[in-house]
Amino acid sequence: MEKKVDILMLDYSISGFSRYAVKLCEEIHKLRPETIVAGCYIEQSKGDTIKGFDIVICAKDKNLDAKKIIDLFQPKAIMTFAHRFFDYMFTVEAHKRNIQVLNFQHGLYTRETVISTLTPKSLGQTLRKKQKKFFEYLQCSFILNDKSIMKTFEFLSNFLQNKSIYTVMNQFFGEICNADISYIYGEDWKSFYINEYYEKNTTFEIVGYPELETELENVNRTAFIDSSLPVVCYLAQTSVEDGLIEKETLRKFLEKLSECLTNINLLIKFHPRSDKHLYRTLFRTGKVLVWEEKAFPVADMYIGHDSTIIAKALYLNSKTLIYRLQVDRISQFEPYVHYIACENDDLNQILKRMYMEPTEDISRKLKKYVYKNEHEGALKQTAKSMIKYCSN
């Protein structure tokens, strides 16, 4: 039975929808209540819930087959949030039917964090760590190639020749694997999309970076033992939890941070997936607080590594320090900051100097990378644009 919808949104997991899709649904329904929006995902973890959509479907219920799902919903437009096999499968199938494909930038991508190539050596590691996801993407590749074993073999052979998924997709499918509209955070992302994703047949619309619009809240200094000391907010990320950095590397950094506690009040803003046990040595000092609020904390200084949330800190305060956990692990924010440190530097002295120096407004410098949409907000502007493509 057909369930015609206006927009079909895609993400690998239900939890992924919470980043932008749910808010986009809310904005769309405010502007045009009769718009029907469906969500389609592959993975659901225990306790995952989803709201905002009129209809939700697990792609596994249709054997991950984009053709069957598009037949079911007959959408006027499709929205993706990444460039994965799953997204490409729907993009190609949608374009075969002249359905508009929209893409919303969902993160501050870097060449180091975007995993796009597969080598014979890394294949074994991928199978061990992400076996389930690997076979799901293998199935998507099979469907992409018209369920032809020979076509799929040729497709994957190219992928194994150290070619990125983006290169192979464009070689095999051409411009139909490009989104029609790409909603991006700032002017600089055009070159990234063109050079990395080969999105040469897309129309770019700069909508801004939604994270810059989040609520702010002042830190309660009286909660610390010595309220006269400057408050430094450490923006924790999941490099260890994701297997990108060794525990010992993080431990050495946290040890240096603990040596600064005589001169600062330390506030930690954890990532939702942070393993707090990694920080137990800091907690034992009794001088560290955890930020539990939904709003972003307004502190005197910030420390981060290469987490995307650093953009928010920089927009607020130029006294933001990038600490390289590895000398060769360079943050995408380094061109915009005044303070960079690594293991051989005296962190205590750098923080003292940071506190004494004047604060500078660097929002203009950041604008082309992460633009703050002061007019109506990134997601509202996107929602207005999306409605145009499904109101015919």
Side-chain angles (χ1 to χ4, degrees):
M1 181 180 174
E2 295 174 357
K3 302 177 181 178
K4 289 187 178 181
V5 304
D6 294 297
I7 302 169
L8 174 62
M9 293 191 189
L10 307 163
D11 212 323
Y12 180 81
S13 65
I14 276 188
S15 59
F17 284 127
S18 64
R19 184 166 173 82
Y20 297 134
V22 170
K23 182 66 175 174
L24 279 171
C25 284
E26 291 175 7
E27 294 292 348
I28 288 167
H29 287 134
K30 284 179 192 173
L31 294 164
R32 189 171 178 266
E34 67 271 25
T35 306
I36 300 174
V37 186
C40 178
Y41 66 94
I42 294 179
E43 184 180 84
Q44 179 179 9
S45 301
K46 188 176 180 181
D48 275 346
T49 57
I50 189 170
K51 59 182 180 178
F53 294 96
D54 299 289
I55 305 169
V56 180
I57 185 175
C58 178
K60 290 179 183 176
D61 294 341
K62 297 293 179 183
N63 297 315
L64 301 184
D65 195 327
K67 183 177 180 180
K68 291 180 180 178
I69 294 166
I70 291 175
D71 281 341
L72 174 67
F73 290 128
Q74 297 188 15
K76 295 175 183 175
I78 284 175
M79 168 69 92
T80 66
F81 295 91
H83 294 76
R84 299 164 292 206
F85 286 118
F86 181 61
D87 309 282
Y88 276 129
M89 178 178 64
F90 277 91
T91 299
V92 169
E93 187 60 37
H95 279 146
K96 287 178 181 178
R97 304 164 188 234
N98 295 315
I99 296 170
Q100 291 281 319
V101 177
L102 318 173
N103 174 269
F104 192 92
Q105 183 177 353
H106 86 289
L108 299 174
Y109 314 125
T110 67
R111 288 170 181 82
E112 290 74 25
T113 58
V114 173
I115 302 169
S116 62
T117 57
L118 192 66
T119 65
K121 182 180 178 181
S122 66
L123 180 60
Q125 295 174 329
T126 304
L127 280 170
R128 284 195 299 275
K129 291 183 178 180
K130 299 181 178 179
Q131 187 180 79
K132 181 181 172 185
K133 188 177 286 190
F134 177 83
F135 284 108
E136 286 167 349
Y137 282 172
L138 192 63
Q139 188 174 345
C140 289
S141 301
F142 182 59
I143 295 166
L144 255 171
N145 289 281
D146 302 320
K147 299 183 180 179
S148 164
I149 293 174
M150 291 300 294
K151 283 184 181 179
T152 305
F153 180 76
E154 184 185 357
F155 177 80
L156 293 174
S157 295
N158 274 268
F159 191 37
L160 283 166
Q161 290 170 18
N162 292 341
K163 293 181 180 178
S164 74
I165 178 177
Y166 321 124
T167 305
V168 176
M169 282 300 304
N170 278 271
Q171 283 178 345
F172 272 70
F173 300 99
E175 64 182 50
I176 66 168
C177 70
N178 286 187
D180 296 289
I181 306 292
S182 293
Y183 301 103
I184 56 175
Y185 297 156
E187 182 74 28
D188 289 350
W189 289 102
K190 290 181 181 179
S191 59
F192 187 93
Y193 269 62
I194 291 168
N195 296 325
E196 291 295 310
Y197 296 143
Y198 302 99
E199 289 275 356
K200 297 177 182 179
N201 296 284
T202 191
T203 298
F204 292 105
E205 187 171 334
I206 299 169
V207 294
Y209 186 36
E211 313 306 323
L212 298 180
E213 302 163 27
T214 54
E215 191 180 344
L216 303 175
E217 187 171 330
N218 290 319
V219 175
N220 179 13
R221 296 173 181 276
T222 60
F224 291 97
I225 296 171
D226 184 351
S227 60
S228 67
L229 295 176
V231 176
V232 176
C233 178
Y234 172 54
L235 305 168
Q237 61 189 69
T238 55
S239 297
V240 172
E241 292 86 339
D242 294 337
L244 301 173
I245 295 290
E246 296 294 328
K247 283 185 181 180
E248 180 61 17
T249 302
L250 179 65
R251 187 196 66 77
K252 287 180 180 178
F253 162 70
L254 295 178
E255 190 175 275
K256 293 191 76 163
L257 197 53
S258 67
E259 291 170 0
C260 303
L261 291 177
T262 54
N263 300 307
I264 64 168
N265 285 320
L266 183 63
L267 181 73
I268 302 180
K269 178 173 170 48
F270 281 115
H271 186 281
R273 292 188 290 104
S274 288
D275 178 1
K276 295 180 182 179
H277 288 96
L278 297 170
Y279 303 84
R280 57 183 178 274
T281 304
L282 276 177
F283 293 141
R284 287 182 191 136
T285 65
K287 298 180 178 180
V288 179
L289 297 181
V290 175
W291 184 254
E292 304 281 6
E293 308 303 320
K294 186 177 180 181
F296 190 83
V298 178
D300 297 308
M301 296 180 282
Y302 298 89
I303 299 177
H305 307 298
D306 49 22
S307 169
T308 59
I309 203 169
I310 293 171
K312 183 74 173 177
L314 274 172
Y315 238 88
L316 282 175
N317 193 335
S318 61
K319 295 182 180 183
T320 298
L321 181 143
I322 300 293
Y323 188 97
R324 291 187 189 177
L325 288 173
Q326 292 178 340
V327 175
D328 59 349
R329 189 175 172 87
I330 300 171
S331 167
Q332 66 269 41
F333 295 104
E334 289 193 18
Y336 307 99
V337 300
H338 298 313
Y339 309 99
I340 300 169
C342 56
E343 186 179 355
N344 296 326
D345 294 314
D346 188 330
L347 183 59
N348 205 3
Q349 287 302 314
I350 293 174
L351 289 175
K352 284 181 181 178
R353 177 165 60 88
M354 280 174 64
Y355 185 62
M356 296 301 294
E357 290 181 350
T359 302
E360 179 188 341
D361 182 1
I362 59 171
S363 58
R364 286 186 180 182
K365 190 178 177 182
L366 276 169
K367 188 176 180 179
K368 285 190 175 182
Y369 186 63
V370 280
Y371 155 66
K372 185 174 182 181
N373 192 327
E374 303 272 12
H375 177 56
E376 56 187 351
L379 297 178
K380 186 173 182 178
Q381 181 178 325
T382 303
K384 278 185 176 180
S385 175
M386 290 173 70
I387 288 171
K388 289 190 299 185
Y389 298 102
C390 66
S391 57
N392 299 328

